[in-house]
Amino acid sequence: MRSWSRWLTRALHQSIQSTSSTASAESAGPRTYSRFISVVSGFPKNLGQSNNKYKPGKMGDDAWFIANTKTADVLGVADGVGGWRSYGIDPGQFAEVLMRNCERLVKFARFDPIKPVNLIASGYQELRAHRESILGSSTACIVVFNREDSSIYTANIGDSGFIIVRKGEIVHRSEEQQHYFNTPFQLSLPPTGHTDVLCDRPESANTTTFPVCNGDVILVATDGVFDNVPIKLLVDTLHRVEGEHDQVKLQMCANSIALMARSLSFDSKFLSPFSINARRNNINVMGGKPDDITVVLATVAL
């Protein structure tokens, strides 16, 4: 536990610095529109390995970003497909560069806030332009808060996702996309000759629009969270920070979710959401699913 805490402390000190400046700058002036107050937390699966030292925007094979413009706040996560490691390909690089591309497009206002699927498509297209050096596969989930109409616009491909909690209940959530059990939809750039690789188009992403209210809590996360933390426990935890504008308290909530997911993922006697789904598919397994864990948490503030 001590090594987890030390890693988390170092990582979150930097993540708080990177996400708090925008919120502070906006709160200093008049606030015509609502805004997101956002934090991030998480762990790489193989904590302590030399290649898993903290890097902004990356949690093992997971990647994330938080970006803001004058009229929109954008949250994104991606989960690199670990199977590529056996081919000598870094599974986290594809996800990291995909999210970095999307973040840059947001910061330069080269995206439509009501069409996040186009943001994913543009980020993926940039990857395709450099396919000689970046190979692999990844899920992706983008949540855009459009301040002008106080609505969120989402695009999700695969088994990362989001939930929105209001008054202790889920009022909106993503739809998981699976080809079959434990095989999510994914964007891919396989090496030459790999013709049997799953490769879904960005346009296959499930897209939604939903009006949000002051105090709503939005959790965007990779499957390392949803596969290990029961949904009721997630909702109960998020309910405690509904309406919370204090970034430190939000950070503590995000840390709590990340630690829960991490602990449960290595509990061999726990009937996890992953184990329950496996049994529904006639696979008799028990315990959590060790995985990279990424938690991006936001509340809506007027």
Side-chain angles (χ1 to χ4, degrees), residues 104-169:
R104 187 181 65 255
L105 289 166
V106 171
K107 288 183 175 179
F108 284 94
R110 295 175 181 171
F111 82 111
D112 185 341
I114 67 172
K115 293 183 179 179
V117 66
N118 290 354
L119 178 60
I120 293 177
S122 296
Y124 177 57
Q125 186 57 44
E126 289 193 15
L127 267 170
R128 289 176 61 87
H130 299 88
R131 64 176 300 140
E132 294 302 320
S133 58
I134 301 184
L135 302 171
S137 306
S138 156
T139 67
C141 181
I142 300 286
V143 174
V144 180
F145 176 53
N146 184 25
R147 298 181 198 156
E148 294 184 346
D149 62 6
S150 294
S151 294
I152 65 162
Y153 296 81
T154 74
N156 183 62
I157 185 163
D159 57 2
S160 295
F162 68 89
I163 59 175
I164 302 177
V165 172
R166 180 187 300 163
K167 297 181 180 178
E169 296 183 355

Side-chain angles (χ1 to χ4, degrees), residues 3-174:
S3 64
W4 299 5
S5 298
R6 286 196 298 270
W7 191 94
L8 195 60
T9 299
R10 291 195 301 268
L12 297 177
H13 175 70
Q14 295 181 57
S15 68
I16 289 173
Q17 288 181 326
S18 67
T19 59
S20 62
S21 57
T22 301
S24 298
E26 290 184 11
S27 61
R31 292 180 296 182
T32 305
Y33 305 114
S34 305
R35 61 187 175 94
F36 270 175
I37 300 175
S38 309
V39 297
V40 63
S41 187
F43 294 99
K45 177 173 66 174
N46 299 314
L47 187 63
Q49 289 189 356
S50 59
N51 63 338
N52 276 327
K53 293 180 179 179
Y54 177 72
K55 183 178 181 181
K58 197 171 187 294
M59 299 285 185
D61 295 339
D62 288 356
W64 59 271
F65 78 93
I66 298 173
N68 314 87
T69 69
K70 291 182 179 180
T71 59
D73 298 309
V74 187
L75 315 176
V77 299
D79 182 1
V81 176
W84 285 110
R85 190 169 279 107
S86 61
Y87 294 91
I89 295 171
D90 177 2
Q93 188 181 28
F94 183 100
E96 179 186 10
V97 176
L98 176 63
M99 291 293 95
R100 197 164 62 223
N101 289 347
C102 291
E103 180 180 18
R104 187 181 65 255
L105 289 166
V106 171
K107 288 183 175 179
F108 284 94
R110 295 175 181 171
F111 82 111
D112 185 341
I114 67 172
K115 293 183 179 179
V117 66
N118 290 354
L119 178 60
I120 293 177
S122 296
Y124 177 57
Q125 186 57 44
E126 289 193 15
L127 267 170
R128 289 176 61 87
H130 299 88
R131 64 176 300 140
E132 294 302 320
S133 58
I134 301 184
L135 302 171
S137 306
S138 156
T139 67
C141 181
I142 300 286
V143 174
V144 180
F145 176 53
N146 184 25
R147 298 181 198 156
E148 294 184 346
D149 62 6
S150 294
S151 294
I152 65 162
Y153 296 81
T154 74
N156 183 62
I157 185 163
D159 57 2
S160 295
F162 68 89
I163 59 175
I164 302 177
V165 172
R166 180 187 300 163
K167 297 181 180 178
E169 296 183 355
I170 295 177
V171 293
H172 190 52
R173 66 185 303 174
S174 57

Side-chain angles (χ1 to χ4, degrees), residues 128-240:
R128 289 176 61 87
H130 299 88
R131 64 176 300 140
E132 294 302 320
S133 58
I134 301 184
L135 302 171
S137 306
S138 156
T139 67
C141 181
I142 300 286
V143 174
V144 180
F145 176 53
N146 184 25
R147 298 181 198 156
E148 294 184 346
D149 62 6
S150 294
S151 294
I152 65 162
Y153 296 81
T154 74
N156 183 62
I157 185 163
D159 57 2
S160 295
F162 68 89
I163 59 175
I164 302 177
V165 172
R166 180 187 300 163
K167 297 181 180 178
E169 296 183 355
I170 295 177
V171 293
H172 190 52
R173 66 185 303 174
S174 57
E175 181 178 325
E176 187 179 82
Q177 293 180 310
Q178 297 265 10
H179 288 285
Y180 43 89
F181 176 67
N182 205 31
T183 305
F185 280 38
Q186 54 202 261
L187 304 175
S188 300
L189 286 177
T192 302
H194 286 64
T195 57
D196 57 346
V197 174
L198 289 174
C199 187
D200 298 289
R201 293 173 56 81
E203 293 77 15
S204 300
N206 184 53
T207 60
T208 70
T209 304
F210 187 77
V212 291
C213 299
N214 182 45
D216 284 356
V217 184
I218 295 94
L219 169 68
V220 187
T222 54
D223 65 332
V225 175
F226 296 116
D227 279 345
N228 289 301
V229 185
I231 197 67
K232 185 180 185 305
L233 184 54
L234 276 179
V235 172
D236 289 346
T237 304
L238 295 172
H239 179 44
R240 298 172 195 156

